[in-house]
Amino acid sequence: MPRRSTSSRTGSSSGDPSGPRNRTPQPLPRRRRSFGDFVKAFLAFVALAVLLVAVPYALAVYVGWPFPDGMPSLDWLQEEITVDTFLGVLGVVVWIAWAQFTACVLVEVKAALSGVGMPGRVPGAGPSQLLARQLVAALLLVGATAASLTPGLSQLGHGMEGNQQGTVASAQATPGGSLSGMFAQQQEQAASTAAALGQQAADAASHAEVGGPSVKAEDTKYYRIQPPEGRHHDSLWEIAERHLGDGRRYGEIYQLNKDRVQPDGSRLSEASLIRPGWIMQMPGDARGGDLVEMPSAGTGTGTGTGTGASVSAPDAGSTVSPQVAQQINQYAQTGDHAQQGGGGRQGGTASLDTNTTRISLPRQQSPAATPAVDHERHAAAETSTSAESSDSGFSFGLPEALVGAPLLAAGLLGALGRRRRQALWQSALGAVGGRRGMEPPTPTGAAAAAQDALLIGADPEGVRLLDRSLRGLAASLAGESRPLPTVYAAWLSNGDLHLQLAQPAGKPPAPWQLGQDQTFWLLSRTDAERYEDVDTAAPYPGLVSLGTMDESRLLLNLESVPGIVSLSGSESDRAAVFASVAAELATNGWSDRMTITLVGFGQDLTPLAPNRLRHLDDIEALVETMEAETRQRRGALGAAGHDSVLTGRTGPAQHTRWAPHLVLLAAEPSADDAVKLAELAADASRLGIGYLVGTESGDLPGAAWEMEITSEGKLLAPLLGLELDAQVLPVAQQRAIVELFVGADPDNTPDGPTTTPPFLVDISEQGRPAVYARLVGPYEIIGLDTPEGERSPLQHEALALLLLHREGVHPRVLASALWPRGVTDDVREALLDRLRVWLGTDPDGTPRLATDANGRLTLAKSVVSDLDVLRSLYHEATQGKGVDSRVVRGRLLTDALVLVRGPLLADRPEGRYGWLTHEIIDAQLPLLVADIGLALAEFHLVKDRAERAIEALTAALNSAPGDERLWHELLRATHSTGDTDKLHQVAADLIRRSGARGLPPRTEALLDELLPTWRDGTTAVG
């Protein structure tokens, strides 16, 4: 397995032939001790003797011991404070200071003599420990251990933290190097850095002297916006791309021209809106044939403009008309931009003002980082990347597109779990003759890899916090009678949630706070964890993940866009983005009553959420459907007196008509259809409807926001200021995910879930296991010694996960289950090594923890759990030997019910075993116990042993109290005894357990049949 390698960060190129990475160790020259060294050592010895011996002796003689003579009493508090009292308190303080300094000396001496690592820090002893370090260093300066110490007494007075950071940084730069080598290397780096900066400064000065493009007025260039050609309209992005070589520099053009009066009297206020005939001042390094240059006065000849200046197109070699020349000359005199010249590149798009519609990356709230902190963050980022690349090499073909999409993976995994639970209940309730399916089909191939990727990548906690945070915000605003602000986007950055508003909306309700400006509302992860579930509608159900930028994840609110969002790119790349958007919207946890209409793609995706996803065959059907819905929503809003769905979504008049509807149109519409869609989308954001439309050319009428997906997986939205690593769901992963959902649907398999357990145990005496784990009830392990140390709970949890998945567990799935927030591959491998040693080998030498051909971890057959035995006993009783022998069936069912000691892992510690939320064992086990109880009750009732049947049913209800079938059989068995009082007691217990929900209709009908007076008892109890 590939391991992460630690590279040297010394500042030198790895390819430098003069500095190979691995060198033969060379002996360091020994430093000769001078007379001054011996003097310093003697003085340090005297100082330490005085401080460590003389001080406590003087304190003991003149002040006394710090310990009281007797037990303290309340009378001490009433005594008069005298000079002796003050001196006594001062003496105690000096004693404490001496004890702290002594501890510092001991710590420093230990570190110096061991020569390993940095000394430990004594709490609150900064200057004291620094003094102790210098004295110990001077004392040992004449010894062999001095080389491992910090610098000498000349450093006294510098901050201890600074010393520590410098040493650590040096140690990281050159592992194993001596201090002299570290300092020399740092000086070398500082000298080279200074030389590079000096060269840059000289180049800049030289450039300025020869008339660089940022300072000379004669280099000022202008561009006149051309009229549209067909459907193509000019844009600042395209102008920057043609004349500056990079479309992302359009922000520079905007900054040079914003708010300046144009020839038609209007002004440029948004970077996305320019008009034909407008004039744009360009940066000085602009190039191109249709640019116009403004030379200095009196230097040119040509068409006069009334000011003595001439205007020419230098690259084209032609002049412009007098009218255009006059307009350019007048435009050059406007604003303070005339004195600034063209300017070079100054930060690209980051300089746009807040009036421009942009989706900005939120800034962190922490103070500005020092270079050392920046270096540490950079190093951490490299370590993370290295770990990810190492994991990818160990992935066995896992689809990384799912591993890197935590919100999408969590939604899909949650929906898949609900589908499997539903299949189990349908199979149990619809079964005949006790042959009930208990096991969903085990996925194989691509479906198994996709399931592993979902388990690794899913972040259910992140989804839960996002959902609670948004609903909590809506509830708080409703409590203050404030409307919901329009949210364009949400950023998830380092656990914090940033909402970007369309416009300032005042101060957010606590615990929210303002972010980097008035259009950002921020909620920290710590505050989000305090939110609880609230009964309110989801305020922003149209949020969907598009990708990441600088480790921050963007969720765009498609519902709030004032028009169409277009997506250009190749057909396959667009399809991957559309599928990701559709899958997340269909399964996410922060949306209510969502409707997603798919046109031109996604017919196979409908099994993910049949209640949310619908597919239309063509654009004509879409236009007809959306025209009707648009009219209906407009009328509903008008009748309710709301100006938008946001005001109606959180008020007292919540209704299904405020549910969001998002249209995903992958096929490019025709010109006529595009116009119709643009008309429908003009008012869509107010109505809670969003449109995401694919296009080949990137030019779509009515498109408010334009995005592009590249073949490299980048999602670009220049006018929004976005360049994301796109979140996609390629075709192969789509098919694998759909296969998981189809396999979990009982309607698609005639026999429903399989009735055969994945692992059958030899239940005879010869099949006694070597290791036996009891999971049903309190967790116990028989046959293994308890691991020593704090790692024991981790090994127990890992073994439980492996026991619940006899088909095998991917190592990355195991690691993500035990460490949900991430772990490095070396820690994971260390755990697996400890597990192998702990489980040991069978007598024939076979390891009990092995790796199969697919790279998954599997347990040997000699390692068994009581859940395996429980399944095997029930299977043998209903489909094996118990089918032909009534006596055998009764014994097997009785043995199985005895194994049930409570719920699964009943005593598991809080905060661990969180991966059980992804499992369906919590639904399987109660059904299995109920089936065993029902089968055993039937076995006894055939022989009229009602009391024995009641015992079996009661034992099963202890582990499956919500199973309606057990209650029905218990009522029938109790009724067969003729004991009316006991039947009343069972009915009362059943009613009490049902709570406010009341009894199911079939249970009420059965009570009406067996106990007609049960309602009178309910009234009496009420």
Side-chain angles (χ1 to χ4, degrees):
M1 168 180 169
R3 297 268 185 180
R4 182 174 69 253
S5 60
T6 303
S7 60
S8 173
R9 297 185 182 92
T10 64
S12 62
S13 173
S14 61
D16 186 1
S18 64
R21 179 169 297 180
N22 297 320
R23 301 181 180 180
T24 303
Q26 299 294 329
L28 294 176
R30 295 182 60 85
R31 178 180 178 269
R32 298 186 62 183
R33 309 294 187 255
S34 65
F35 177 78
D37 294 335
F38 288 97
V39 172
K40 290 180 181 179
F42 175 76
L43 295 177
F45 173 79
V46 173
L48 286 173
V50 170
L51 292 173
L52 296 180
V53 179
V55 169
Y57 178 80
L59 288 173
V61 172
Y62 296 104
V63 178
W65 294 103
F67 307 104
D69 298 329
M71 292 295 295
S73 63
L74 293 177
D75 295 336
W76 283 18
L77 300 178
Q78 301 175 359
E79 292 181 0
E80 182 180 0
I81 299 177
T82 62
V83 175
D84 291 337
T85 304
F86 176 79
L87 292 177
V89 172
L90 182 60
V92 171
V93 173
V94 176
W95 271 111
I96 294 175
W98 172 83
Q100 185 187 58
F101 178 78
T102 303
C104 293
V105 171
L106 295 176
V107 168
E108 295 297 328
V109 170
K110 178 183 176 182
L113 295 178
S114 65
V116 179
M118 288 293 296
R121 294 186 60 185
V122 178
S128 181
Q129 187 167 2
L130 181 59
L131 176 60
R133 180 176 305 170
Q134 306 306 328
L135 293 175
V136 173
L139 179 62
L140 300 180
L141 188 63
V142 295
T145 59
S148 66
L149 298 177
T150 54
L153 291 172
S154 61
Q155 296 278 336
L156 189 59
H158 293 277
M160 176 182 169
E161 297 296 333
N163 291 340
Q164 284 184 337
Q165 289 178 359
T167 306
V168 173
S170 302
Q172 291 174 345
T174 55
S178 66
L179 283 179
S180 58
M182 296 176 190
F183 294 148
Q185 192 172 49
Q186 288 180 344
Q187 291 172 357
E188 245 182 357
Q189 293 176 1
S192 62
T193 302
L197 291 176
Q199 183 63 37
Q200 291 177 3
D203 293 343
S206 173
H207 185 68
E209 290 176 359
V210 299
S214 62
V215 296
K216 291 295 183 179
E218 60 263 31
D219 284 339
T220 304
K221 299 179 179 68
Y222 294 88
Y223 175 82
R224 191 168 184 266
I225 307 300
Q226 302 300 314
E229 298 179 4
R231 293 172 58 188
H232 178 76
H233 296 260
D234 214 349
S235 68
L236 292 186
W237 175 275
E238 293 176 338
I239 296 171
E241 197 169 47
R242 288 197 305 268
H243 300 295
L244 300 176
D246 187 353
R248 288 173 292 186
R249 293 185 62 185
Y250 77 97
E252 300 173 38
I253 306 175
Y254 175 77
Q255 284 297 320
L256 288 172
N257 298 276
K258 68 176 182 178
D259 298 328
R260 295 173 65 178
V261 179
Q262 294 291 337
D264 61 358
S266 56
R267 298 172 185 267
L268 175 66
S269 60
E270 293 187 10
S272 59
L273 179 60
I274 57 177
R275 299 178 184 175
W278 280 10
I279 298 169
M280 295 287 116
Q281 180 179 335
M282 301 291 292
D285 61 339
R287 297 291 182 269
D290 49 357
L291 290 177
V292 178
E293 183 175 331
M294 173 70 73
S296 59
T299 61
T301 61
T303 307
T305 62
T307 62
S310 66
V311 182
S312 63
D315 295 330
S318 60
T319 59
V320 297
S321 65
Q323 181 182 3
V324 173
Q326 184 177 4
Q327 290 178 351
I328 293 177
N329 189 280
Q330 292 174 353
Y331 184 76
Q333 308 303 318
T334 62
D336 56 359
H337 303 270
Q339 286 76 34
Q340 294 178 358
R345 183 169 184 170
Q346 302 173 7
T349 60
S351 60
L352 289 181
D353 65 352
T354 55
N355 293 327
T356 306
T357 300
R358 292 170 56 82
I359 306 299
S360 305
L361 182 67
R363 296 192 297 267
Q364 299 302 317
Q365 299 299 306
S366 58
T370 62
V373 175
D374 287 337
H375 173 75
E376 290 175 4
R377 290 178 178 175
H378 180 66
E382 289 184 353
T383 302
S384 175
T385 303
S386 177
E388 290 177 4
S389 63
S390 176
D391 275 344
S392 64
F394 191 71
S395 65
F396 300 101
L398 289 185
E400 299 297 334
L402 293 173
V403 174
L407 303 184
L408 170 62
L412 289 171
L413 201 59
L416 181 62
R418 291 189 295 271
R419 184 69 54 83
R420 286 174 171 171
R421 287 177 175 85
Q422 181 183 7
L424 286 175
W425 281 105
Q426 290 180 4
S427 175
L429 296 176
V432 179
R435 296 179 59 85
R436 300 178 174 89
M438 296 304 303
E439 302 296 333
T442 301
T444 58
Q451 179 173 275
D452 287 341
L454 293 179
L455 290 168
I456 295 169
D459 183 14
E461 180 66 12
V463 172
R464 185 182 67 86
L465 291 178
L466 176 62
D467 183 34
R468 286 185 173 184
S469 301
L470 295 176
R471 294 180 193 268
L473 174 63
S476 299
L477 290 173
E480 298 176 6
S481 300
R482 295 172 59 185
L484 282 170
T486 301
V487 170
Y488 277 158
W491 289 93
L492 291 174
S493 180
N494 297 325
D496 299 336
L497 174 60
H498 305 255
L499 295 183
Q500 185 168 357
L501 314 183
Q503 57 189 5
K507 184 180 180 180
W512 292 77
Q513 54 185 307
L514 288 175
Q516 63 194 48
D517 56 43
Q518 295 290 324
T519 61
F520 275 92
W521 284 7
L522 165 66
L523 181 68
S524 67
R525 183 183 181 95
T526 304
D527 292 331
E529 291 173 345
R530 300 192 186 107
Y531 268 120
E532 297 180 354
D533 293 328
V534 293
D535 185 16
T536 187
Y540 304 111
L543 287 170
V544 64
S545 302
L546 290 185
T548 57
M549 182 166 64
D550 295 339
E551 299 183 358
S552 295
R553 185 168 301 277
L554 170 66
L555 287 84
L556 194 66
N557 190 4
L558 295 177
E559 185 190 25
S560 69
V561 180
I564 293 174
V565 179
S566 69
L567 178 65
S568 61
S570 68
E571 184 177 357
S572 59
D573 293 331
R574 295 201 318 264
V577 174
F578 273 97
S580 171
V581 170
E584 184 169 297
L585 289 172
T587 60
N588 69 40
W590 59 87
S591 298
D592 292 334
R593 306 186 304 271
M594 172 75 71
T595 299
I596 306 112
T597 298
L598 312 179
V599 185
F601 83 106
Q603 187 172 4
D604 297 336
L605 293 177
T606 51
L608 301 184
N611 296 330
R612 286 193 178 187
L613 290 170
R614 70 176 179 180
H615 181 269
L616 296 180
D617 294 330
D618 51 38
I619 299 178
E620 182 179 354
L622 172 67
V623 171
E624 181 180 354
T625 301
M626 298 313 299
E627 284 178 346
E629 183 165 346
T630 300
R631 287 193 301 269
Q632 177 186 4
R633 292 199 175 211
R634 283 174 180 164
L637 280 176
H642 297 302
D643 57 350
S644 74
V645 294
L646 290 179
T647 57
R649 184 169 286 160
T650 57
Q654 297 180 20
H655 194 272
T656 56
R657 63 170 64 105
W658 315 128
H661 185 177
L662 299 179
V663 176
L664 307 181
L665 174 58
E668 183 170 11
S670 64
D672 293 339
D673 291 333
V675 172
K676 294 178 181 178
L677 288 175
E679 293 174 352
L680 290 172
D683 198 27
S685 61
R686 187 176 69 91
L687 304 176
I689 304 174
Y691 292 86
L692 179 61
V693 181
T695 173
E696 290 284 350
S697 62
D699 189 8
L700 192 67
W705 292 351
E706 297 178 349
M707 299 187 296
E708 176 189 0
I709 177 67
T710 68
S711 58
E712 293 79 19
K714 294 290 185 179
L715 190 66
L716 308 178
L719 297 183
L720 298 178
L722 295 178
E723 184 175 347
L724 305 171
D725 293 323
Q727 178 174 298
V728 295
L729 187 60
V731 175
Q733 278 79 65
Q734 295 178 39
R735 293 172 179 169
I737 292 296
V738 171
E739 182 181 342
L740 288 173
F741 278 79
V742 171
D745 192 345
D747 296 334
N748 294 323
T749 53
D751 298 330
T754 178
T755 58
T756 304
F759 177 69
L760 288 174
V761 178
D762 183 1
I763 57 177
S764 64
E765 286 295 330
Q766 293 75 21
R768 187 178 298 275
V771 178
Y772 182 66
R774 306 178 73 182
L775 305 179
V776 185
Y779 191 3
E780 299 177 14
I781 298 179
I782 302 172
L784 290 177
D785 295 332
T786 302
E788 298 180 359
E790 298 178 353
R791 298 189 181 101
S792 177
L794 199 64
Q795 291 179 231
H796 279 75
E797 185 175 356
L799 179 58
L801 178 60
L802 292 168
L803 286 168
L804 292 177
H805 290 276
R806 302 303 304 223
E807 73 278 8
V809 178
H810 195 288
R812 291 181 67 185
V813 173
L814 179 67
S816 64
L818 300 180
W819 295 282
R821 296 189 177 183
V823 67
T824 56
D825 54 351
D826 55 341
V827 175
R828 177 186 62 202
E829 287 302 303
L831 170 68
L832 295 181
D833 291 342
R834 287 193 297 271
L835 270 178
R836 292 187 181 97
V837 173
W838 182 39
L839 292 174
T841 59
D842 286 333
D844 60 357
T846 303
R848 291 171 182 158
L849 178 61
T851 304
D852 64 11
N854 295 321
R856 288 179 168 81
L857 302 168
T858 58
L859 292 173
K861 293 184 178 181
S862 58
V863 183
V864 173
S865 72
D866 55 353
L867 184 60
D868 298 326
V869 177
L870 189 68
R871 288 167 168 165
S872 300
L873 287 171
Y874 177 68
H875 179 268
E876 192 67 22
T878 56
Q879 301 180 46
K881 298 178 181 178
V883 175
D884 300 323
S885 173
R886 170 180 167 80
V887 176
V888 172
R889 181 167 68 256
R891 177 174 56 81
L892 291 174
L893 292 173
T894 302
D895 292 344
L897 199 57
V898 170
L899 290 176
V900 180
R901 301 175 299 126
L904 186 75
L905 299 168
D907 57 351
R908 60 179 179 266
E910 185 178 357
R912 302 206 66 90
Y913 297 86
W915 46 269
L916 281 173
T917 58
H918 300 319
E919 307 285 340
I920 63 168
I921 185 62
D922 58 340
Q924 288 177 301
L925 182 58
L927 285 175
L928 176 60
V929 173
D931 284 348
I932 294 173
L934 291 170
L936 188 56
E938 181 183 5
F939 172 82
H940 289 303
L941 287 174
V942 170
K943 294 295 184 178
D944 294 329
R945 295 196 291 263
E947 295 295 336
R948 299 286 299 275
I950 292 173
E951 290 178 4
L953 293 169
T954 302
L957 279 171
N958 290 332
S959 296
D963 197 304
E964 186 181 3
R965 300 167 300 159
L966 289 175
W967 286 106
H968 289 179
E969 292 304 315
L970 181 60
L971 288 171
R972 293 189 180 99
T974 306
H975 178 265
S976 65
T977 63
D979 191 339
T980 306
D981 294 337
K982 197 170 186 178
L983 185 59
H984 271 290
Q985 183 180 353
V986 173
D989 191 16
L990 175 58
I991 295 169
R992 187 164 49 252
R993 286 176 179 266
S994 64
R997 295 175 301 174
L999 296 175
R1002 289 182 297 184
T1003 304
E1004 288 188 356
L1006 180 61
L1007 282 173
D1008 288 337
E1009 174 67 23
L1010 301 180
L1011 190 63
T1013 60
W1014 71 275
R1015 298 181 188 274
D1016 299 335
T1018 303
T1019 305
V1021 172

